[in-house]
Amino acid sequence: MKKLLWIVLILLNIHVNGMMMEFDDMEWFTDFNGTKMFHTENDVFSEAKFPMVGLTLIQSAAAKGAVCLDGSLPGYHLHRGFGSGANNWLVQLEGGGWCDTVRNCVYRKTSRRGSSSYMEKEIPFTGILSNQAAENPDFYNWNRVKVRYCDGGSFSGDSENKAAQLQFRGMRIWLAAMEDLMAKGMRQAKQALLSGCSAGGLAAILRCDDFGKLFPPSTRVKCLSDAGFFLDAIDVSGGRSLRRLYAGVVKLQNLQTKLPQDCVNRLNPTSCFFPQNLINQVKTPLFILNAAYDSWQIQESLAPKSADPSGSWNDCRLNYAKCTASQIQFLQGFRTRMVNLVKGFAMPSKNGVFLNSCFAHCQTERHDTWFAKNSPAVKNKVGKNNDEVLL
């Protein structure tokens, strides 16, 4: 019987430090006749061949106070599994940044990141969510779920701002979604994987043990954080741009009461929103996938415009081919720190890490980085059922 990739991911501790992938020629999404198209230099294909999966609003959520920033119902997209995957579940937590001020969160209420009123009624399931065996051989026939993100705090808050009419109910949304999915068959899961990208990748770390506790010991449960390993890094001005953002999120949503207590007992609450201070305490098997030159972190944490008033990083932050030698050295320092931070975490056999040297952000939910000709690979293998492979 073939071994599933997700098992291999967790069991292997592989660090890939020298691979460079050329993604600067990609335009991630452009609209074409209402159908989204992926564009690369050598490949163009339509999302039309992927399933369009409808939005399910969680009707029981309102009574539990599990609502989006604007008070609307939260939701998810579920594509049922079949055959050998009928009793396996993959739950992906959507990403989409954070809001750190009342003003930002009020604005977010007018988008799909803060209100289900603006969410797409259908979305394509691509990458790790695809139902195509040739493009997603390990999960194509699992029950695959994308939980929509509308709380602005990585599914972690449980407070409100009455004056601004803001609901910070990420934790309640998480619980309501899990309860709804358990009732729809997830409680009988033989294998269950919690994943997430970006802010959802951070949430996958924060909620990993909560996910594991939903199931009996007989269920094989693991977690995958994609592009969720955000570093508490020094930016190009010598400040800490991402720490300032996180401090605003933690304070605004009163997250100190919801963050892991063993971390809060040692560090200040803002530090406990950074994965580097959380991963070693996660008991459920966890796999970290991240680009060592994470494009979002370069643009928004290391070299945001606020930290670069002279604009000396404008070209480099958007196209690494235009970086100067000193800028490359700065980015290399970021990569080295990321590698060092995960070394201890990867020692237990239950955990795993795959850091590649791509300039990318979120690699599992995209066809072009999940299972394409130029996808990140180990020993020239991409996504095969093979003990040597991670992606």
Side-chain angles (χ1 to χ4, degrees), residues 194-206:
L194 176 67
S195 72
C197 157
S198 193
L202 170 58
I205 294 172
L206 288 165

Side-chain angles (χ1 to χ4, degrees), residues 9 50 76 83 109 253 284 314-315 326 339 361 372:
L9 292 180
F50 295 103
Y76 59 79
K109 287 199 301 182
Q253 297 208 15
T284 306
N314 280 352
D315 290 339
S326 62
V339 170
H361 186 69

